[in-house]
mmCIF file of all heavy atoms in Angstrom:
data_model
loop_
_atom_site.group_PDB
_atom_site.id
_atom_site.type_symbol
_atom_site.label_atom_id
_atom_site.label_comp_id
_atom_site.label_asym_id
_atom_site.label_seq_id
_atom_site.Cartn_x
_atom_site.Cartn_y
_atom_site.Cartn_z
ATOM 1 N N ALA A 1151 -6.581 -9.848 -6.300
ATOM 2 C CA ALA A 1151 -6.857 -11.190 -6.758
ATOM 3 C C ALA A 1151 -6.436 -11.308 -8.244
ATOM 4 O O ALA A 1151 -6.274 -12.434 -8.713
ATOM 5 C CB ALA A 1151 -8.366 -11.438 -6.637
ATOM 6 N N LEU A 1152 -6.206 -10.181 -8.884
ATOM 7 C CA LEU A 1152 -5.747 -10.169 -10.286
ATOM 8 C C LEU A 1152 -6.731 -10.828 -11.291
ATOM 9 O O LEU A 1152 -6.375 -11.146 -12.359
ATOM 10 C CB LEU A 1152 -4.384 -10.809 -10.425
ATOM 11 C CG LEU A 1152 -3.279 -10.102 -9.637
ATOM 12 C CD1 LEU A 1152 -1.918 -10.846 -9.826
ATOM 13 C CD2 LEU A 1152 -3.111 -8.650 -10.067
ATOM 14 N N ALA A 1153 -8.010 -10.931 -10.853
ATOM 15 C CA ALA A 1153 -9.033 -11.490 -11.712
ATOM 16 C C ALA A 1153 -10.396 -11.101 -11.106
ATOM 17 O O ALA A 1153 -10.488 -10.955 -9.894
ATOM 18 C CB ALA A 1153 -8.931 -12.975 -11.864
ATOM 19 N N ALA A 1154 -11.378 -10.963 -11.945
ATOM 20 C CA ALA A 1154 -12.750 -10.711 -11.460
ATOM 21 C C ALA A 1154 -13.396 -12.010 -11.067
ATOM 22 O O ALA A 1154 -14.241 -12.600 -11.841
ATOM 23 C CB ALA A 1154 -13.547 -9.957 -12.525
ATOM 24 N N ASP A 1155 -13.007 -12.551 -9.898
ATOM 25 C CA ASP A 1155 -13.470 -13.855 -9.554
ATOM 26 C C ASP A 1155 -13.943 -13.915 -8.070
ATOM 27 O O ASP A 1155 -14.095 -12.905 -7.449
ATOM 28 C CB ASP A 1155 -12.309 -14.900 -9.776
ATOM 29 C CG ASP A 1155 -11.085 -14.557 -9.022
ATOM 30 O OD1 ASP A 1155 -11.122 -13.705 -8.071
ATOM 31 O OD2 ASP A 1155 -10.024 -15.161 -9.225
ATOM 32 N N GLY A 1156 -14.133 -15.150 -7.619
ATOM 33 C CA GLY A 1156 -14.636 -15.321 -6.231
ATOM 34 C C GLY A 1156 -13.740 -14.780 -5.170
ATOM 35 O O GLY A 1156 -14.147 -14.282 -4.126
ATOM 36 N N THR A 1157 -12.416 -14.896 -5.392
ATOM 37 C CA THR A 1157 -11.434 -14.371 -4.439
ATOM 38 C C THR A 1157 -11.520 -12.868 -4.341
ATOM 39 O O THR A 1157 -11.429 -12.320 -3.223
ATOM 40 C CB THR A 1157 -9.999 -14.799 -4.837
ATOM 41 O OG1 THR A 1157 -9.921 -16.255 -4.925
ATOM 42 C CG2 THR A 1157 -8.964 -14.302 -3.820
ATOM 43 N N ALA A 1158 -11.722 -12.211 -5.446
ATOM 44 C CA ALA A 1158 -11.876 -10.773 -5.426
ATOM 45 C C ALA A 1158 -13.119 -10.362 -4.656
ATOM 46 O O ALA A 1158 -13.107 -9.403 -3.844
ATOM 47 C CB ALA A 1158 -11.936 -10.229 -6.855
ATOM 48 N N ALA A 1159 -14.212 -11.128 -4.845
ATOM 49 C CA ALA A 1159 -15.474 -10.826 -4.131
ATOM 50 C C ALA A 1159 -15.247 -11.030 -2.621
ATOM 51 O O ALA A 1159 -15.723 -10.245 -1.780
ATOM 52 C CB ALA A 1159 -16.550 -11.733 -4.630
ATOM 53 N N LEU A 1160 -14.563 -12.108 -2.274
ATOM 54 C CA LEU A 1160 -14.260 -12.374 -0.838
ATOM 55 C C LEU A 1160 -13.447 -11.193 -0.258
ATOM 56 O O LEU A 1160 -13.737 -10.677 0.817
ATOM 57 C CB LEU A 1160 -13.501 -13.656 -0.683
ATOM 58 C CG LEU A 1160 -12.938 -13.962 0.726
ATOM 59 C CD1 LEU A 1160 -14.068 -14.129 1.715
ATOM 60 C CD2 LEU A 1160 -12.072 -15.214 0.652
ATOM 61 N N ALA A 1161 -12.408 -10.762 -0.974
ATOM 62 C CA ALA A 1161 -11.533 -9.684 -0.489
ATOM 63 C C ALA A 1161 -12.337 -8.396 -0.329
ATOM 64 O O ALA A 1161 -12.091 -7.636 0.579
ATOM 65 C CB ALA A 1161 -10.362 -9.491 -1.488
ATOM 66 N N PHE A 1162 -13.279 -8.161 -1.223
ATOM 67 C CA PHE A 1162 -14.138 -6.978 -1.118
ATOM 68 C C PHE A 1162 -14.953 -7.006 0.185
ATOM 69 O O PHE A 1162 -14.978 -6.027 0.957
ATOM 70 C CB PHE A 1162 -15.056 -6.914 -2.315
ATOM 71 C CG PHE A 1162 -15.848 -5.638 -2.503
ATOM 72 C CD1 PHE A 1162 -15.454 -4.765 -3.569
ATOM 73 C CD2 PHE A 1162 -16.869 -5.269 -1.674
ATOM 74 C CE1 PHE A 1162 -16.137 -3.586 -3.733
ATOM 75 C CE2 PHE A 1162 -17.556 -4.101 -1.848
ATOM 76 C CZ PHE A 1162 -17.211 -3.256 -2.881
ATOM 77 N N VAL A 1163 -15.538 -8.127 0.460
ATOM 78 C CA VAL A 1163 -16.412 -8.260 1.661
ATOM 79 C C VAL A 1163 -15.535 -8.197 2.921
ATOM 80 O O VAL A 1163 -15.929 -7.488 3.891
ATOM 81 C CB VAL A 1163 -17.174 -9.603 1.595
ATOM 82 C CG1 VAL A 1163 -17.945 -9.836 2.903
ATOM 83 C CG2 VAL A 1163 -18.181 -9.572 0.435
ATOM 84 N N THR A 1164 -14.435 -8.876 2.948
ATOM 85 C CA THR A 1164 -13.642 -8.876 4.216
ATOM 86 C C THR A 1164 -13.028 -7.478 4.466
ATOM 87 O O THR A 1164 -12.893 -7.018 5.601
ATOM 88 C CB THR A 1164 -12.532 -9.892 4.152
ATOM 89 O OG1 THR A 1164 -11.693 -9.660 2.982
ATOM 90 C CG2 THR A 1164 -13.051 -11.319 4.105
ATOM 91 N N THR A 1165 -12.694 -6.781 3.359
ATOM 92 C CA THR A 1165 -12.177 -5.406 3.506
ATOM 93 C C THR A 1165 -13.177 -4.501 4.162
ATOM 94 O O THR A 1165 -12.865 -3.791 5.142
ATOM 95 C CB THR A 1165 -11.760 -4.875 2.145
ATOM 96 O OG1 THR A 1165 -10.718 -5.686 1.597
ATOM 97 C CG2 THR A 1165 -11.281 -3.431 2.239
ATOM 98 N N ASN A 1166 -14.376 -4.491 3.702
ATOM 99 C CA ASN A 1166 -15.388 -3.617 4.235
ATOM 100 C C ASN A 1166 -15.744 -4.006 5.689
ATOM 101 O O ASN A 1166 -15.936 -3.183 6.559
ATOM 102 C CB ASN A 1166 -16.661 -3.662 3.377
ATOM 103 C CG ASN A 1166 -17.674 -2.620 3.776
ATOM 104 O OD1 ASN A 1166 -17.422 -1.434 3.546
ATOM 105 N ND2 ASN A 1166 -18.794 -3.022 4.377
ATOM 106 N N THR A 1167 -15.792 -5.305 5.916
ATOM 107 C CA THR A 1167 -16.193 -5.837 7.248
ATOM 108 C C THR A 1167 -15.182 -5.417 8.333
ATOM 109 O O THR A 1167 -15.537 -4.979 9.420
ATOM 110 C CB THR A 1167 -16.343 -7.338 7.189
ATOM 111 O OG1 THR A 1167 -17.318 -7.710 6.197
ATOM 112 C CG2 THR A 1167 -16.778 -7.880 8.565
ATOM 113 N N ALA A 1168 -13.887 -5.592 8.029
ATOM 114 C CA ALA A 1168 -12.835 -5.246 8.965
ATOM 115 C C ALA A 1168 -12.826 -3.782 9.260
ATOM 116 O O ALA A 1168 -12.692 -3.297 10.411
ATOM 117 C CB ALA A 1168 -11.461 -5.701 8.504
ATOM 118 N N ALA A 1169 -12.979 -2.953 8.191
ATOM 119 C CA ALA A 1169 -12.947 -1.499 8.336
ATOM 120 C C ALA A 1169 -14.128 -1.017 9.223
ATOM 121 O O ALA A 1169 -13.975 -0.188 10.113
ATOM 122 C CB ALA A 1169 -12.988 -0.834 6.981
ATOM 123 N N ALA A 1170 -15.284 -1.557 8.950
ATOM 124 C CA ALA A 1170 -16.495 -1.180 9.680
ATOM 125 C C ALA A 1170 -16.361 -1.568 11.165
ATOM 126 O O ALA A 1170 -16.695 -0.750 12.036
ATOM 127 C CB ALA A 1170 -17.737 -1.890 9.064
ATOM 128 N N THR A 1171 -15.846 -2.774 11.427
ATOM 129 C CA THR A 1171 -15.709 -3.260 12.796
ATOM 130 C C THR A 1171 -14.739 -2.392 13.561
ATOM 131 O O THR A 1171 -14.975 -1.983 14.718
ATOM 132 C CB THR A 1171 -15.299 -4.711 12.814
ATOM 133 O OG1 THR A 1171 -16.187 -5.513 12.081
ATOM 134 C CG2 THR A 1171 -15.197 -5.258 14.235
ATOM 135 N N ALA A 1172 -13.584 -2.107 12.955
ATOM 136 C CA ALA A 1172 -12.567 -1.318 13.663
ATOM 137 C C ALA A 1172 -13.039 0.123 13.904
ATOM 138 O O ALA A 1172 -12.698 0.686 14.943
ATOM 139 C CB ALA A 1172 -11.313 -1.311 12.808
ATOM 140 N N SER A 1173 -13.767 0.691 12.985
ATOM 141 C CA SER A 1173 -14.249 2.068 13.144
ATOM 142 C C SER A 1173 -15.213 2.140 14.370
ATOM 143 O O SER A 1173 -15.095 2.993 15.206
ATOM 144 C CB SER A 1173 -14.985 2.510 11.888
ATOM 145 O OG SER A 1173 -15.389 3.891 12.040
ATOM 146 N N VAL A 1174 -16.142 1.207 14.419
ATOM 147 C CA VAL A 1174 -17.115 1.173 15.527
ATOM 148 C C VAL A 1174 -16.359 0.874 16.871
ATOM 149 O O VAL A 1174 -16.624 1.513 17.853
ATOM 150 C CB VAL A 1174 -18.159 0.087 15.268
ATOM 151 C CG1 VAL A 1174 -19.063 -0.089 16.533
ATOM 152 C CG2 VAL A 1174 -19.050 0.486 14.090
ATOM 153 N N THR A 1175 -15.376 -0.033 16.824
ATOM 154 C CA THR A 1175 -14.620 -0.359 18.031
ATOM 155 C C THR A 1175 -13.865 0.863 18.561
ATOM 156 O O THR A 1175 -13.882 1.120 19.785
ATOM 157 C CB THR A 1175 -13.559 -1.459 17.672
ATOM 158 O OG1 THR A 1175 -14.286 -2.656 17.282
ATOM 159 C CG2 THR A 1175 -12.756 -1.801 18.926
ATOM 160 N N TRP A 1176 -13.261 1.638 17.675
ATOM 161 C CA TRP A 1176 -12.491 2.803 18.089
ATOM 162 C C TRP A 1176 -13.414 3.846 18.713
ATOM 163 O O TRP A 1176 -13.109 4.437 19.774
ATOM 164 C CB TRP A 1176 -11.760 3.449 16.908
ATOM 165 C CG TRP A 1176 -10.678 4.397 17.279
ATOM 166 C CD1 TRP A 1176 -10.783 5.539 17.976
ATOM 167 C CD2 TRP A 1176 -9.273 4.259 16.910
ATOM 168 N NE1 TRP A 1176 -9.545 6.163 18.067
ATOM 169 C CE2 TRP A 1176 -8.626 5.420 17.433
ATOM 170 C CE3 TRP A 1176 -8.537 3.348 16.219
ATOM 171 C CZ2 TRP A 1176 -7.221 5.655 17.289
ATOM 172 C CZ3 TRP A 1176 -7.157 3.529 16.013
ATOM 173 C CH2 TRP A 1176 -6.544 4.664 16.561
ATOM 174 N N VAL A 1177 -14.621 4.053 18.132
ATOM 175 C CA VAL A 1177 -15.571 5.002 18.669
ATOM 176 C C VAL A 1177 -16.053 4.588 20.077
ATOM 177 O O VAL A 1177 -16.174 5.451 20.983
ATOM 178 C CB VAL A 1177 -16.756 5.168 17.730
ATOM 179 C CG1 VAL A 1177 -17.857 5.965 18.378
ATOM 180 C CG2 VAL A 1177 -16.304 5.898 16.453
#
Side-chain angles (χ1 to χ4, degrees):
L1152 298 178
D1155 58 12
T1157 301
L1160 172 64
F1162 192 107
V1163 172
T1164 56
T1165 297
N1166 191 70
T1167 302
T1171 304
S1173 183
V1174 172
T1175 300
W1176 197 300
V1177 168

